[in-house]
Amino acid sequence: MSTEQEQSEAKQLASELLKSNDDYLEKILRLTYLGNVIHGQCWDTEFHVFGVITSDTDHLPLKKVRRYCSDEFLVKSNIETESVILFYKADVVLACNQIIEKYGNV
């Protein structure tokens, strides 16, 4: 992928996050990756919050492994994920809007 492709994907994921929390952890993880690719690291960039969330949630199951988790663990994970979504909501909205604005012409 070229940098332009990563920027375009970041813009698309940011737009999706503003509309829905579907696949939240997967999108956050991917945005962290894209921030690292685009900037060399995500810290102190418009992708910073995604790196923070990725670090805070690295113990939570992603979609592809959820089927291997117990119902009890999934209930706890869902509650924690919802808490993370609420806690970081304003920061995620700001970051998503910055990404959309910055890469809107890509």
Side-chain angles (χ1 to χ4, degrees), residues 24-25 53-61 66 72-88:
Y24 183 84
L25 294 176
I53 296 170
T54 295
S55 179
D56 285 351
T57 61
D58 63 355
H59 61 286
L60 296 174
R66 290 179 66 84
E72 181 181 345
F73 180 70
L74 289 176
V75 167
K76 289 178 184 178
S77 296
N78 291 344
I79 291 169
E80 187 172 349
T81 300
E82 287 300 318
S83 176
V84 166
I85 291 169
L86 289 174
F87 183 80
Y88 288 106

Side-chain angles (χ1 to χ4, degrees), residues 35-101:
N36 287 332
V37 170
I38 292 167
H39 293 290
Q41 48 75 40
C42 67
W43 309 115
D44 298 322
T45 73
E46 63 277 12
F47 293 88
H48 185 98
V49 71
F50 305 118
V52 172
I53 296 170
T54 295
S55 179
D56 285 351
T57 61
D58 63 355
H59 61 286
L60 296 174
L62 296 173
K63 190 176 180 177
K64 64 183 175 185
V65 298
R66 290 179 66 84
R67 65 182 170 169
Y68 302 111
C69 299
S70 71
D71 290 341
E72 181 181 345
F73 180 70
L74 289 176
V75 167
K76 289 178 184 178
S77 296
N78 291 344
I79 291 169
E80 187 172 349
T81 300
E82 287 300 318
S83 176
V84 166
I85 291 169
L86 289 174
F87 183 80
Y88 288 106
K89 183 71 173 175
D91 294 321
V92 167
V93 167
L94 178 63
C96 287
N97 284 323
Q98 289 173 339
I99 289 167
I100 292 165
E101 183 177 327

